């Protein structure tokens, strides 16, 4: 079982990006498009591990205000960038120094550029997610992030 912690964007943010990608999907039907129900921002990947303390300390992190913006590619992955104050979350989660928050939307050999700027949203929780080939994702646990009004 592979484990990772993730931020899941709210439904309105997912719908906005899904709509914005409609012409890109039509222009690039050979890409393997990730189902929007699986869209997430990986905070930290643990690989083959058992659930044990991966969310510890994250409940003290201030909920960041984020925005999906721009795109990029690496190793046949098309991703949408994430702007926002993620330093505190990254430090608390123990992410590597080269962490580049993103949301994977497609895979393929020839990838387009996507000019996109989405609405702001507040990441109110971090999820611990299990991934198994053929089974997909299962959220095992969640921890709320601290909000100024909480």
């Amino acid at each position: 079982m592979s484990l990772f912690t993730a931020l899941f964007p709210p439904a309105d943010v997912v719908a906005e990006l899904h709509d914005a990608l409609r012409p890109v999907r039509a222009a690039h039907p050979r890409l393997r498009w990730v189902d929007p129900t699986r869209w997430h921002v990986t905070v930290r990947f643990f690989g083959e591990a058992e659930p044990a303390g991966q969310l510890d300390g994250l409940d003290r992190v201030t909920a960041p205000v984020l925005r999906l913006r721009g795109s990029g590619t690496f190793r046949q992955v098309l991703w949408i960038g994430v702007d926002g104050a993620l330093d505190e979350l990254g430090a608390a989660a123990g992410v590597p120094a080269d962490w580049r928050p993103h949301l994977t939307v497609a895979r393929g050999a020839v990838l387009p550029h996507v000019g996109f700027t989405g609405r702001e949203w507040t990441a109110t929780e971090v999820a611990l997610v299990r991934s198994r080939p053929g089974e997909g994702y299962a959220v095992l646990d969640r921890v709320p992030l601290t909000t100024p009004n909480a």
Side-chain angles (χ1 to χ4, degrees), residues 5 43-46 54 56 58 87-97 99:
T5 49
V43 176
R44 184 169 172 195
F45 182 73
F46 297 98
Q54 287 91 348
D56 289 353
L58 297 181
D87 290 344
E88 181 186 7
L89 177 61
V95 299
W99 179 46

Side-chain angles (χ1 to χ4, degrees), residues 5 7 10 14 22 27 32 50 69 75 77 88 90-91 101-102 105 110 113-114 122 136-137 140 149:
T5 49
L7 304 173
V14 169
R22 187 168 283 124
R32 294 180 316 279
E50 291 298 320
R69 183 191 320 261
R75 295 187 312 266
V77 169
E88 181 186 7
H102 65 277
V105 293
V110 179
H113 170 75
V114 178
T122 301
Y137 298 155
L140 302 179
N149 297 329

Side-chain angles (χ1 to χ4, degrees), residues 24-82:
V24 183
R25 286 191 312 273
H28 300 276
R30 291 185 162 196
L31 293 180
R32 294 180 316 279
W33 292 93
V34 176
D35 188 293
T37 62
R38 295 175 56 94
W39 287 351
H40 66 276
V41 178
T42 299
V43 176
R44 184 169 172 195
F45 182 73
F46 297 98
E48 297 298 319
E50 291 298 320
Q54 287 91 348
L55 296 174
D56 289 353
L58 297 181
D59 59 337
R60 294 185 293 276
V61 172
T62 302
V65 176
L66 306 174
R67 179 187 305 268
L68 299 177
R69 183 191 320 261
S71 68
T73 62
F74 61 83
R75 295 187 312 266
Q76 299 187 339
V77 169
L78 171 62
W79 52 263
I80 303 298
V82 180

